[in-house]
């Protein structure tokens, strides 16, 4: 059989039926979720295919209360989640970004809202807000704190790097390149630029996120830009 035949192509790229984990990395940029009469939260717009009997319901991540106000200024698909419920195989991806599966064991992690791809129903999600003008202008205003026991999937542009944070060595990052950090850290947004200068937004180097204490922060080799809805 020719290595360029259609049959060879199909055989090399087809889904592996032996993989049955709840969250399964089918390809580096493609997550397979095996549902068995249960539901999972995924990023709105991330579904690229499914088999079986799965129902989808789009919901705002910021539904109710303060969320009614917040969702007016939050940008992009990262502000909304899709509930997928039923039995079957669900395939999700996000603009070719690499996917990383994590299993939390009564732990917590903070993730940039745009980088949350999926989490199972047992994981609690809370919006955290950095109260800073710099945060709003950089797109670094909203993050999602995921906690509990269960699976989550996050995405990065390229291969990420984890920097360790210690009391002696705080870490400073560009908000647009910051993906996630340990749940015990509370970053500050630092800037030496005036509000007037921020309104004419320039590069991300004008302001940084400062991480102090004991923990870690995950950065990606890419500055992800965000737009703010009017």
């Amino acid at each position: 059989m020719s290595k360029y035949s259609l049959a060879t192509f199909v055989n090399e790229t087809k889904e592996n039926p032996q993989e049955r984990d709840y969250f399964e990395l089918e390809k580096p940029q493609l997550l397979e979720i095996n549902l068995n009469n249960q539901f999972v939260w995924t990023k709105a717009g991330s579904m690229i295919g499914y088999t079986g009997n799965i129902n989808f319901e789009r919901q705002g991540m910021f539904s109710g209360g303060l969320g009614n106000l917040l969702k007016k200024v939050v940008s992009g698909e990262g502000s909304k989640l899709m509930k997928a419920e039923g039995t079957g195989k669900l395939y999700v991806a996000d603009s070719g970004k690499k996917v990383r599966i994590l299993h939390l064991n009564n732990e917590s992690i903070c993730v940039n809202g745009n980088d949350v791809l999926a989490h199972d129903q047992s994981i609690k999600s809370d919006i955290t807000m950095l109260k800073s003008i710099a945060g709003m202008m950089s797109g670094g205003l909203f993050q999602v704190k995921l906690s509990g026991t269960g699976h989550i999937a996050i995405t990065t542009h390229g291969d990420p790097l984890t920097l360790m944070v210690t009391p002696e060595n705080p870490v400073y990052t560009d908000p647009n390149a910051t993906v996630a950090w340990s749940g015990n850290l509370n970053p500050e947004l630092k800037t030496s630029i005036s509000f007037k200068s921020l309104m004419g937004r320039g590069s991300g180097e004008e302001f940084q996120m400062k991480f102090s204490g004991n923990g870690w922060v995950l950065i990606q080799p890419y500055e992800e830009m965000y737009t703010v809805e009017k």
Side-chain angles (χ1 to χ4, degrees):
M1 184 185 299
S2 169
K3 65 178 180 179
Y4 300 120
S5 71
L6 185 58
T8 299
F9 169 75
V10 171
N11 189 59
E12 289 178 348
T13 59
K14 70 181 179 181
E15 184 261 345
N16 185 350
Q18 302 304 315
E19 297 175 341
R20 297 289 185 180
D21 287 348
Y22 183 20
F23 276 39
E24 189 74 46
L25 199 60
E26 190 65 33
K27 303 289 182 183
Q29 299 87 7
L30 201 160
L31 175 68
E32 173 189 305
I33 304 174
N34 289 287
L35 293 172
N36 183 17
N37 195 28
Q38 61 201 133
F39 72 84
V40 66
W41 295 104
T42 65
K43 184 175 182 178
S46 66
M47 187 277 286
I48 60 172
Y50 71 93
T51 63
N53 184 18
I54 301 175
N55 296 314
F56 299 92
E57 180 182 352
R58 183 166 179 158
Q59 298 189 13
M61 186 183 293
F62 305 95
S63 57
L66 180 62
N68 291 328
L69 172 63
L70 297 184
K71 67 184 178 182
K72 295 179 181 178
V73 297
V74 174
S75 60
E77 292 298 317
S79 64
K80 292 186 180 294
L81 292 174
M82 183 80 75
K83 181 181 180 181
E85 185 172 14
T87 298
K89 289 178 176 287
L90 173 63
Y91 301 94
V92 294
D94 184 13
S95 302
K97 294 165 67 176
K98 287 195 171 183
V99 181
R100 180 60 61 95
I101 300 170
L102 301 172
H103 185 269
L104 302 183
N105 184 14
N106 196 27
E107 298 167 297
S108 64
I109 179 176
C110 291
V111 186
N112 184 305
N114 199 50
D115 299 320
V116 178
L117 181 61
H119 66 83
D120 70 36
Q121 63 191 66
S122 63
I123 294 294
K124 180 183 178 182
S125 63
D126 292 304
I127 303 303
T128 62
M129 180 171 64
L130 298 177
K131 298 178 180 179
S132 168
I133 295 297
M136 180 176 292
M137 299 310 296
S138 70
L141 184 60
F142 298 100
Q143 290 80 34
V144 182
K145 185 172 186 178
L146 302 171
S147 56
T149 298
H151 290 83
I152 68 172
I154 64 175
T155 58
T156 63
H157 286 277
D159 295 320
L161 174 68
T162 297
L163 302 176
M164 303 307 297
V165 180
T166 66
E168 300 78 21
N169 293 293
V171 172
Y172 299 84
T173 66
D174 183 330
N176 295 322
T178 306
V179 177
W181 57 91
S182 47
N184 62 300
L185 296 181
N186 294 306
E188 304 172 67
L189 277 162
K190 297 290 187 181
T191 180
S192 59
I193 309 299
S194 68
F195 177 74
K196 187 174 181 180
S197 296
L198 280 170
M199 295 307 291
R201 187 190 184 286
S203 67
E205 286 74 17
E206 294 174 357
F207 36 85
Q208 304 88 35
M209 296 176 76
K210 179 184 179 182
F211 295 86
S212 304
N214 285 294
W216 53 266
V217 57
L218 184 72
I219 57 175
Q220 63 185 2
Y222 184 92
E223 292 184 78
E224 195 162 13
M225 300 302 177
Y226 308 91
T227 57
V228 179
E229 295 178 359
K230 303 300 182 182

